[in-house]
Amino acid sequence: MRRIAGIVLAVLLVGGVVAAVVAGRDTGDKSTATKTVHAVIGSEKAEFFADPDVVKALAAKGYTVKAETSGSWAMEGLDLKGYDLAFPSSQAPAAELAAKYKVRQPLPVPFYSPLVVVAHRGAAEVLAANGLAALDKNRGTLKMAAHLDAAERDRTWQQLKGAEKYGELTGTLYVATTDPETSNSGALYLAAASYVAAGGKVAASDADVDRTAPLMHKLVSVQGAQQSSTDAAFRDFVSGAGNPLVLVYESQVAALLGEGEGVDDLTVLYPDTTANSDHTVVPLTENGRAFGELLGSDPELRELAVRHGFRPQGATAEFTKATAAHADYLNQKLTGIRQAPVPTSEVLHAMARRARG
């Protein structure tokens, strides 16, 4: 039922900002919630806040949540007067919002999720046979340096040995991402790619952006129209539509597997250099700060976050235990994965604009 609710919610995500993910709706729960929290959240957390168990757990702590969804980078363009918090999907847009609204530090970071590339088995095996990936059962790693080299040289699937066995593997080889100007996952993909392309140097100036801009533009321009949210991109992949390689959050995959669902021949590729999505609360009121801290400290809410595929901060054992049955798909301890530093929001904005052209 959570998946059905999520699909209905995702359909509403047209135009960047939609109202009506309401936690605390009439579900027959006779709770005594007394504080209403008004929030704008990244769309990938819509299912979490719509989950009746989350609604009930929050009500038991005295909270009702009324949330609207937005692309993380689009939040800075919203008028957040009257809101208790903003909840983007990473620290860069959160830092921008915190500066704009003069929010005191530290900002609560209840949970996080690494970026992954979902692929069908045939596509993953072709990548591995051509030195672009390494596989282990139903998961593996995407070799970012080799991937960027292929993008630089405009390689097509037809140029890769073994691709001829799969009719769907045609055209330019690329990873489908969300729009980096408005969506967190697309921006983080550029952050990791630019870091690898620059030889392990995080972009910190216009000159740094200039050096990798042509390659970043290739990564984006080859995609044509991009989705505004990973919810839509992941839903297309699950339905069998779209590109053979799609960038999503690990949390989306883990939540799907946890519900006993899956995709025939699903393979999960972890980029060997990536940027984690740190879901960061920007408290705009003291009520919002208390709520953000509760999300990270309350054992029941942490357990529910894991159910939705998120990794709670400071306790990898919780995620490892909860996803043990799906270890063939998930790199539970992120072994062999390097975390790329993320540029400042100003630099990342410039990088996204140049990439979009």
Side-chain angles (χ1 to χ4, degrees):
M1 289 302 296
R2 292 201 317 276
R3 177 61 49 187
I4 293 171
I7 290 173
V8 173
L9 289 167
V11 169
L12 298 174
L13 300 178
V14 177
V17 181
V18 297
V21 180
V22 181
R25 64 191 71 174
D26 183 8
T27 60
D29 176 40
K30 305 301 182 182
S31 64
T32 57
T34 58
K35 292 177 287 233
T36 298
V37 174
H38 294 269
V40 57
I41 63 173
S43 61
E44 67 293 322
K45 293 182 283 289
E47 288 188 33
F48 174 77
F49 283 107
D51 183 343
D53 289 339
V54 174
V55 172
K56 183 177 179 180
L58 289 171
K61 297 293 182 180
Y63 288 100
T64 296
V65 179
K66 292 186 177 180
E68 298 175 6
T69 62
S70 167
S72 292
W73 284 104
M75 289 182 188
E76 65 181 83
L78 302 178
D79 180 2
L80 297 182
K81 183 179 180 180
Y83 286 85
D84 293 289
L85 62 95
F87 201 175
S89 302
S90 70
Q91 292 183 343
E96 187 109 340
L97 287 167
K100 179 178 179 180
Y101 290 96
K102 298 180 174 55
V103 177
R104 65 180 171 86
Q105 299 289 340
L107 304 180
V109 185
F111 42 73
Y112 69 98
S113 183
L115 293 169
V116 299
V117 174
V118 289
H120 294 289
R121 187 69 186 183
E125 289 180 347
V126 170
L127 292 179
N130 289 269
L132 295 167
L135 297 182
D136 179 12
K137 297 182 179 179
N138 296 313
R139 62 178 169 88
T141 56
L142 178 68
K143 298 181 180 179
M144 283 293 284
H147 166 60
L148 295 178
D149 179 67
E152 186 73 59
R153 294 190 286 140
D154 300 314
R155 295 188 76 180
T156 65
W157 284 104
Q158 293 94 318
Q159 293 172 329
L160 303 183
K161 62 183 179 182
E164 69 278 359
K165 295 186 294 184
Y166 306 98
E168 70 275 15
L169 299 182
T170 60
T172 305
L173 172 67
Y174 67 91
V175 173
T177 72
T178 54
D179 182 349
E181 286 197 279
T182 60
S183 173
N184 176 66
S185 60
L188 290 182
Y189 175 70
L190 292 185
S194 66
Y195 180 76
V196 174
K201 181 178 183 294
V202 62
S205 65
D206 289 341
D208 292 338
V209 172
D210 290 343
R211 274 190 285 273
T212 61
L215 177 55
M216 299 303 102
H217 180 63
K218 277 194 173 187
L219 294 175
V220 171
S221 63
V222 70
Q223 300 182 48
Q226 292 176 289
Q227 299 276 20
S228 60
S229 78
T230 53
D231 277 352
F234 187 54
R235 194 169 66 253
D236 285 349
F237 177 83
V238 170
S239 70
N243 195 61
L245 305 174
V246 182
L247 186 82
V248 299
Y249 295 112
E250 180 197 57
S251 58
Q252 294 168 291
V253 179
L256 187 73
L257 295 171
E259 292 169 1
E261 301 180 35
V263 180
D264 289 343
D265 73 0
L266 169 68
T267 304
V268 184
L269 301 176
Y270 288 74
D272 58 13
T273 301
T274 190
N276 283 343
S277 175
D278 295 308
H279 295 271
T280 306
V281 175
V282 183
L284 303 173
T285 65
E286 287 306 311
N287 195 30
R289 180 171 291 277
F291 177 81
E293 291 172 349
L294 177 70
L295 288 177
S297 62
D298 182 75
E300 184 178 4
L301 290 170
R302 288 171 66 91
E303 181 180 335
L304 289 167
V306 171
R307 182 199 291 179
H308 284 269
F310 299 111
R311 294 174 179 253
Q313 289 287 359
T316 57
E318 291 176 81
F319 183 85
T320 301
K321 179 181 178 181
T323 59
H326 312 299
D328 286 354
Y329 292 92
L330 304 174
N331 186 342
Q332 294 176 299
K333 297 183 179 179
L334 300 179
T335 304
I337 307 303
R338 180 172 59 164
Q339 178 73 16
V342 177
T344 65
S345 57
E346 182 181 359
V347 171
L348 201 51
H349 268 310
M351 188 180 295
R353 286 194 297 269
R354 293 290 300 277
R356 289 283 291 167

Short mmCIF file of all heavy atoms in Angstrom, two decimals, residues 124-162:
data_model
loop_
_atom_site.label_atom_id
_atom_site.label_comp_id
_atom_site.label_asym_id
_atom_site.label_seq_id
_atom_site.Cartn_x
_atom_site.Cartn_y
_atom_site.Cartn_z
N ALA A 124 24.29 -4.60 -17.25
CA ALA A 124 25.39 -4.66 -16.29
C ALA A 124 26.49 -5.61 -16.75
O ALA A 124 27.68 -5.32 -16.60
CB ALA A 124 24.85 -5.10 -14.93
N GLU A 125 26.12 -6.74 -17.33
CA GLU A 125 27.12 -7.70 -17.80
C GLU A 125 27.92 -7.15 -18.98
O GLU A 125 29.12 -7.40 -19.09
CB GLU A 125 26.44 -9.01 -18.17
CG GLU A 125 25.93 -9.79 -16.96
CD GLU A 125 25.26 -11.09 -17.33
OE1 GLU A 125 24.96 -11.30 -18.53
OE2 GLU A 125 25.03 -11.92 -16.41
N VAL A 126 27.26 -6.39 -19.83
CA VAL A 126 27.98 -5.77 -20.95
C VAL A 126 28.98 -4.75 -20.42
O VAL A 126 30.13 -4.68 -20.87
CB VAL A 126 27.00 -5.12 -21.94
CG1 VAL A 126 27.74 -4.25 -22.96
CG2 VAL A 126 26.19 -6.19 -22.66
N LEU A 127 28.57 -3.94 -19.45
CA LEU A 127 29.49 -2.98 -18.85
C LEU A 127 30.70 -3.70 -18.24
O LEU A 127 31.85 -3.27 -18.42
CB LEU A 127 28.79 -2.16 -17.77
CG LEU A 127 27.69 -1.18 -18.22
CD1 LEU A 127 27.10 -0.48 -17.00
CD2 LEU A 127 28.23 -0.16 -19.22
N ALA A 128 30.45 -4.79 -17.52
CA ALA A 128 31.54 -5.53 -16.88
C ALA A 128 32.47 -6.14 -17.92
O ALA A 128 33.71 -6.12 -17.74
CB ALA A 128 30.96 -6.62 -15.98
N ALA A 129 31.93 -6.66 -19.00
CA ALA A 129 32.75 -7.29 -20.03
C ALA A 129 33.64 -6.28 -20.75
O ALA A 129 34.66 -6.66 -21.36
CB ALA A 129 31.85 -7.99 -21.05
N ASN A 130 33.27 -5.00 -20.66
CA ASN A 130 34.04 -3.96 -21.34
C ASN A 130 34.81 -3.06 -20.36
O ASN A 130 35.25 -1.96 -20.72
CB ASN A 130 33.11 -3.11 -22.20
CG ASN A 130 32.60 -3.87 -23.41
OD1 ASN A 130 33.21 -3.82 -24.48
ND2 ASN A 130 31.48 -4.58 -23.27
N GLY A 131 34.98 -3.53 -19.13
CA GLY A 131 35.81 -2.81 -18.16
C GLY A 131 35.18 -1.59 -17.53
O GLY A 131 35.87 -0.79 -16.89
N LEU A 132 33.86 -1.45 -17.66
CA LEU A 132 33.17 -0.28 -17.12
C LEU A 132 32.54 -0.55 -15.76
O LEU A 132 32.09 0.38 -15.08
CB LEU A 132 32.09 0.20 -18.09
CG LEU A 132 32.61 0.72 -19.44
CD1 LEU A 132 31.47 0.85 -20.43
CD2 LEU A 132 33.32 2.04 -19.26
N ALA A 133 32.47 -1.81 -15.38
CA ALA A 133 31.86 -2.17 -14.10
C ALA A 133 32.47 -3.47 -13.60
O ALA A 133 33.13 -4.20 -14.36
CB ALA A 133 30.34 -2.32 -14.26
N ALA A 134 32.26 -3.78 -12.34
CA ALA A 134 32.64 -5.05 -11.74
C ALA A 134 31.40 -5.59 -11.04
O ALA A 134 30.69 -4.83 -10.36
CB ALA A 134 33.78 -4.89 -10.74
N LEU A 135 31.10 -6.89 -11.21
CA LEU A 135 29.86 -7.46 -10.70
C LEU A 135 30.13 -8.49 -9.61
O LEU A 135 31.12 -9.20 -9.64
CB LEU A 135 29.06 -8.11 -11.83
CG LEU A 135 28.57 -7.20 -12.94
CD1 LEU A 135 27.76 -8.00 -13.95
CD2 LEU A 135 27.75 -6.05 -12.38
N ASP A 136 29.19 -8.55 -8.66
CA ASP A 136 29.19 -9.55 -7.60
C ASP A 136 27.73 -9.88 -7.30
O ASP A 136 27.04 -9.11 -6.64
CB ASP A 136 29.89 -9.03 -6.34
CG ASP A 136 29.90 -10.03 -5.20
OD1 ASP A 136 29.58 -11.20 -5.44
OD2 ASP A 136 30.21 -9.63 -4.07
N LYS A 137 27.27 -11.03 -7.84
CA LYS A 137 25.87 -11.43 -7.72
C LYS A 137 24.98 -10.35 -8.36
O LYS A 137 25.16 -10.01 -9.52
CB LYS A 137 25.51 -11.72 -6.27
CG LYS A 137 26.30 -12.89 -5.68
CD LYS A 137 25.91 -13.20 -4.25
CE LYS A 137 26.72 -14.39 -3.73
NZ LYS A 137 26.40 -14.72 -2.33
N ASN A 138 24.04 -9.80 -7.58
CA ASN A 138 23.10 -8.83 -8.15
C ASN A 138 23.50 -7.38 -7.89
O ASN A 138 22.67 -6.49 -8.01
CB ASN A 138 21.70 -9.08 -7.60
CG ASN A 138 21.16 -10.44 -8.01
OD1 ASN A 138 21.24 -10.81 -9.17
ND2 ASN A 138 20.65 -11.18 -7.04
N ARG A 139 24.74 -7.18 -7.50
CA ARG A 139 25.23 -5.82 -7.31
C ARG A 139 26.65 -5.73 -7.85
O ARG A 139 27.25 -6.72 -8.25
CB ARG A 139 25.20 -5.44 -5.84
CG ARG A 139 26.08 -6.28 -4.92
CD ARG A 139 26.00 -5.76 -3.49
NE ARG A 139 26.59 -6.65 -2.53
CZ ARG A 139 27.87 -6.64 -2.17
NH1 ARG A 139 28.71 -5.79 -2.74
NH2 ARG A 139 28.33 -7.48 -1.26
N GLY A 140 27.16 -4.52 -7.86
CA GLY A 140 28.53 -4.32 -8.33
C GLY A 140 28.92 -2.87 -8.20
O GLY A 140 28.27 -2.08 -7.50
N THR A 141 30.00 -2.51 -8.88
CA THR A 141 30.46 -1.12 -8.87
C THR A 141 30.55 -0.60 -10.30
O THR A 141 30.90 -1.34 -11.23
CB THR A 141 31.85 -0.99 -8.21
OG1 THR A 141 32.78 -1.85 -8.88
CG2 THR A 141 31.78 -1.35 -6.74
N LEU A 142 30.21 0.64 -10.46
CA LEU A 142 30.39 1.35 -11.73
C LEU A 142 31.73 2.06 -11.65
O LEU A 142 31.95 2.87 -10.74
CB LEU A 142 29.26 2.35 -11.95
CG LEU A 142 29.36 3.20 -13.22
CD1 LEU A 142 29.18 2.34 -14.47
CD2 LEU A 142 28.33 4.33 -13.19
N LYS A 143 32.62 1.77 -12.57
CA LYS A 143 33.94 2.38 -12.56
C LYS A 143 33.84 3.77 -13.19
O LYS A 143 33.76 3.92 -14.40
CB LYS A 143 34.93 1.49 -13.32
CG LYS A 143 35.08 0.11 -12.68
CD LYS A 143 36.08 -0.76 -13.45
CE LYS A 143 36.23 -2.13 -12.80
NZ LYS A 143 37.19 -3.00 -13.55
N MET A 144 33.85 4.77 -12.34
CA MET A 144 33.56 6.12 -12.79
C MET A 144 34.58 6.65 -13.78
O MET A 144 34.22 7.32 -14.76
CB MET A 144 33.45 7.06 -11.59
CG MET A 144 32.14 6.93 -10.83
SD MET A 144 30.71 7.51 -11.81
CE MET A 144 30.92 9.29 -11.68
N ALA A 145 35.85 6.38 -13.58
CA ALA A 145 36.87 6.88 -14.51
C ALA A 145 36.64 6.31 -15.90
O ALA A 145 36.70 7.03 -16.91
CB ALA A 145 38.27 6.54 -14.00
N ALA A 146 36.36 5.00 -15.97
CA ALA A 146 36.11 4.37 -17.27
C ALA A 146 34.81 4.88 -17.88
O ALA A 146 34.72 5.09 -19.10
CB ALA A 146 36.06 2.85 -17.10
N HIS A 147 33.83 5.09 -17.04
CA HIS A 147 32.55 5.62 -17.52
C HIS A 147 32.72 7.01 -18.12
O HIS A 147 32.18 7.32 -19.19
CB HIS A 147 31.55 5.65 -16.37
CG HIS A 147 30.32 6.45 -16.63
ND1 HIS A 147 29.44 6.17 -17.65
CD2 HIS A 147 29.82 7.55 -16.01
CE1 HIS A 147 28.47 7.06 -17.65
NE2 HIS A 147 28.67 7.91 -16.66
N LEU A 148 33.48 7.86 -17.45
CA LEU A 148 33.70 9.22 -17.95
C LEU A 148 34.52 9.21 -19.22
O LEU A 148 34.30 10.03 -20.13
CB LEU A 148 34.37 10.08 -16.88
CG LEU A 148 33.54 10.33 -15.61
CD1 LEU A 148 34.34 11.16 -14.62
CD2 LEU A 148 32.22 11.01 -15.94
N ASP A 149 35.46 8.29 -19.32
CA ASP A 149 36.24 8.16 -20.56
C ASP A 149 35.32 7.77 -21.72
O ASP A 149 35.47 8.29 -22.84
CB ASP A 149 37.34 7.11 -20.37
CG ASP A 149 38.17 6.93 -21.62
OD1 ASP A 149 38.90 7.87 -22.02
OD2 ASP A 149 38.08 5.84 -22.25
N ALA A 150 34.39 6.86 -21.46
CA ALA A 150 33.45 6.46 -22.50
C ALA A 150 32.57 7.63 -22.92
O ALA A 150 32.29 7.82 -24.11
CB ALA A 150 32.58 5.31 -21.99
N ALA A 151 32.16 8.45 -21.95
CA ALA A 151 31.36 9.63 -22.27
C ALA A 151 32.16 10.63 -23.08
O ALA A 151 31.65 11.23 -24.05
CB ALA A 151 30.86 10.28 -20.98
N GLU A 152 33.42 10.82 -22.71
CA GLU A 152 34.29 11.75 -23.44
C GLU A 152 34.42 11.35 -24.90
O GLU A 152 34.47 12.21 -25.79
CB GLU A 152 35.67 11.76 -22.78
CG GLU A 152 36.64 12.79 -23.34
CD GLU A 152 36.29 14.21 -22.94
OE1 GLU A 152 36.25 14.50 -21.74
OE2 GLU A 152 36.05 15.02 -23.86
N ARG A 153 34.45 10.04 -25.15
CA ARG A 153 34.64 9.54 -26.52
C ARG A 153 33.32 9.21 -27.23
O ARG A 153 33.33 8.62 -28.31
CB ARG A 153 35.53 8.30 -26.49
CG ARG A 153 36.97 8.63 -26.03
CD ARG A 153 37.91 7.47 -26.24
NE ARG A 153 37.71 6.40 -25.26
CZ ARG A 153 37.75 5.10 -25.55
NH1 ARG A 153 37.89 4.71 -26.81
NH2 ARG A 153 37.59 4.20 -24.61
N ASP A 154 32.21 9.60 -26.62
CA ASP A 154 30.89 9.39 -27.22
C ASP A 154 30.64 7.94 -27.61
O ASP A 154 30.08 7.63 -28.67
CB ASP A 154 30.71 10.28 -28.47
CG ASP A 154 30.84 11.75 -28.16
OD1 ASP A 154 30.25 12.21 -27.17
OD2 ASP A 154 31.55 12.46 -28.90
N ARG A 155 31.03 7.03 -26.74
CA ARG A 155 30.86 5.61 -27.05
C ARG A 155 29.39 5.23 -27.05
O ARG A 155 28.58 5.76 -26.27
CB ARG A 155 31.62 4.73 -26.05
CG ARG A 155 33.13 4.90 -26.13
CD ARG A 155 33.84 3.87 -25.28
NE ARG A 155 33.83 2.56 -25.92
CZ ARG A 155 34.39 1.47 -25.39
NH1 ARG A 155 34.97 1.53 -24.19
NH2 ARG A 155 34.35 0.31 -26.02
N THR A 156 29.05 4.31 -27.92
CA THR A 156 27.68 3.80 -28.00
C THR A 156 27.64 2.37 -27.49
O THR A 156 28.67 1.68 -27.39
CB THR A 156 27.17 3.82 -29.45
OG1 THR A 156 27.95 2.90 -30.24
CG2 THR A 156 27.26 5.22 -30.04
N TRP A 157 26.43 1.91 -27.17
CA TRP A 157 26.27 0.52 -26.74
C TRP A 157 26.75 -0.43 -27.84
O TRP A 157 27.35 -1.47 -27.56
CB TRP A 157 24.81 0.23 -26.41
CG TRP A 157 24.35 0.78 -25.09
CD1 TRP A 157 23.58 1.88 -24.86
CD2 TRP A 157 24.62 0.21 -23.80
NE1 TRP A 157 23.36 2.05 -23.52
CE2 TRP A 157 23.98 1.05 -22.83
CE3 TRP A 157 25.35 -0.89 -23.35
CZ2 TRP A 157 24.03 0.79 -21.47
CZ3 TRP A 157 25.40 -1.16 -21.98
CH2 TRP A 157 24.76 -0.32 -21.06
N GLN A 158 26.49 -0.07 -29.10
CA GLN A 158 26.86 -0.95 -30.20
C GLN A 158 28.37 -1.16 -30.30
O GLN A 158 28.82 -2.15 -30.89
CB GLN A 158 26.34 -0.40 -31.54
CG GLN A 158 24.81 -0.40 -31.66
CD GLN A 158 24.20 0.93 -31.24
OE1 GLN A 158 24.61 1.52 -30.23
NE2 GLN A 158 23.22 1.40 -32.00
N GLN A 159 29.16 -0.27 -29.73
CA GLN A 159 30.61 -0.40 -29.75
C GLN A 159 31.13 -1.32 -28.64
O GLN A 159 32.32 -1.62 -28.61
CB GLN A 159 31.26 0.98 -29.62
CG GLN A 159 31.03 1.88 -30.82
CD GLN A 159 31.52 3.30 -30.59
OE1 GLN A 159 31.50 3.79 -29.45
NE2 GLN A 159 31.94 3.96 -31.65
N LEU A 160 30.25 -1.75 -27.75
CA LEU A 160 30.65 -2.60 -26.64
C LEU A 160 30.41 -4.07 -26.99
O LEU A 160 29.34 -4.43 -27.47
CB LEU A 160 29.87 -2.25 -25.38
CG LEU A 160 29.98 -0.80 -24.89
CD1 LEU A 160 29.21 -0.64 -23.58
CD2 LEU A 160 31.42 -0.37 -24.72
N LYS A 161 31.39 -4.90 -26.74
CA LYS A 161 31.24 -6.32 -27.06
C LYS A 161 30.15 -6.94 -26.19
O LYS A 161 30.04 -6.66 -25.00
CB LYS A 161 32.56 -7.06 -26.87
CG LYS A 161 33.11 -7.06 -25.46
CD LYS A 161 34.45 -7.76 -25.39
CE LYS A 161 35.02 -7.75 -23.97
NZ LYS A 161 36.35 -8.38 -23.89
N GLY A 162 29.35 -7.74 -26.81
CA GLY A 162 28.26 -8.41 -26.11
C GLY A 162 26.94 -7.69 -26.17
O GLY A 162 25.89 -8.28 -25.89
#
